[in-house]
Amino acid sequence: SVSQSLAQQTYDIIETDKEIVPIYNFVREKEFPTKLNTPTSEDEQLKACYGIHPDEKVLIHVSNFRSVKRIDTIIDTFARVHKAIPSKLILLGDGPELMDMKEKARQLNLEDAVLFLGKQNWVSQFYQISDLVLLLSEKESFGLTLLEAMKSGVVPIGSTAGGIKEVIKNGETGYTVDVGDTDKASEYAVKLLTDSELYHKMQSAMIQEIGRSTRL
């Protein structure tokens, strides 16, 4: 099992008497280098390519655009953040809810702020220009995108669904919120993006935690 949560779910569903051993997912460390806080020239060029201004904060979400991923919650959360601070939302991926989510962004007058960039072979470069990663799913066995982003130095906000709360230590290496709680998610996001001391403290704790995990 990739998490304690999935192991327990399996016990509950099939009532097996066999031991289920959680072995957490991993990332290729060289593919997701930990970024410094100073953007590189490559970061600046990538931002310019997609019309992201240097003073804008960047939030990112990566998934297969299914309803279980609650991308509508992601966009609603971002809408509140966008009202508070200059920002852009990068959505990477494709799937059955893509057109509905584009329409939702249009209805919220966020066409220029929500960037639907489709599937990308190298998501690492987008983590490198991001400040926060959002994963607000209603079900999630682990949340590999969180680990990839965190390894890259991006602070996470996730839901409490499934294995997400095993990836994020709430209040230490990121924040977790109840499924669908856009108010709290946006509150945490604005707090992190406007308080550099808090952001760097949490980012440092997150990177140290990942470093301990990779040495196990």
Side-chain angles (χ1 to χ4, degrees):
S1 167
V2 296
S3 65
Q4 296 281 358
S5 174
L6 184 59
Q8 186 58 54
Q9 183 182 5
T10 305
Y11 283 128
D12 294 341
I13 293 174
I14 67 175
E15 300 181 348
T16 180
D17 58 359
K18 302 294 184 181
E19 181 183 9
I20 301 175
V21 179
I23 300 176
Y24 288 120
N25 277 320
F26 60 92
V27 297
R28 299 182 182 90
E29 292 187 65
K30 291 183 179 180
E31 186 175 333
F32 298 95
T34 304
K35 72 174 184 179
L36 299 175
N37 293 314
T38 303
T40 65
S41 59
E42 289 81 5
D43 295 338
E44 293 173 346
Q45 289 172 10
L46 186 61
K47 283 187 174 184
C49 179
Y50 291 104
I52 301 172
H53 299 293
D55 64 336
E56 289 182 314
K57 299 297 185 179
V58 179
L59 293 79
I60 190 170
H61 170 79
V62 184
S63 75
N64 51 21
F65 283 68
R66 293 181 294 127
S67 60
V68 70
K69 298 296 184 179
R70 297 292 292 262
I71 299 172
D72 55 341
T73 303
I74 298 284
I75 295 175
D76 284 335
T77 296
F78 172 71
R80 290 167 168 78
V81 174
H82 187 64
K83 286 182 179 179
I85 55 177
S87 51
K88 288 285 200 313
L89 172 63
I90 293 176
L91 295 176
L92 297 184
D94 197 355
E97 291 223 320
L98 176 60
M99 298 311 298
D100 287 343
M101 293 305 102
K102 285 186 174 182
E103 175 60 19
K104 181 176 181 65
R106 188 193 67 78
Q107 291 177 357
L108 292 174
N109 296 317
L110 293 173
E111 300 104 311
D112 295 331
V114 179
L115 309 178
F116 292 87
L117 303 186
K119 292 182 179 179
Q120 298 286 333
N121 291 328
W122 295 100
V123 298
S124 177
Q125 63 181 335
F126 293 98
Y127 290 139
Q128 294 296 318
I129 64 170
S130 299
D131 300 289
L132 292 180
V133 58
L134 303 179
L135 188 65
L136 304 176
S137 311
E138 64 183 58
K139 293 181 180 179
E140 198 72 56
S141 59
F142 179 79
L144 183 57
T145 183
L146 288 176
L147 194 58
E148 293 173 347
M150 292 166 72
K151 174 62 179 67
S152 302
V154 187
V155 177
I157 296 176
S159 70
T160 54
I164 292 177
K165 54 187 175 290
E166 296 174 49
V167 181
I168 303 172
K169 290 186 176 181
N170 185 41
E172 296 180 31
T173 63
Y175 287 112
T176 56
V177 301
D178 292 336
V179 174
D181 192 346
T182 56
D183 289 336
K184 183 59 71 173
S186 59
E187 177 186 326
Y188 283 144
V190 172
K191 184 177 180 181
L192 282 166
L193 296 174
T194 57
D195 186 340
S196 60
E197 183 177 351
L198 172 65
Y199 183 91
H200 293 140
K201 179 181 178 181
M202 190 164 286
Q203 183 187 53
S204 178
M206 175 191 75
I207 292 171
Q208 289 179 19
E209 180 67 21
I210 290 175
R212 284 193 292 268
S213 299
T214 59
R215 290 192 295 270
L216 293 178

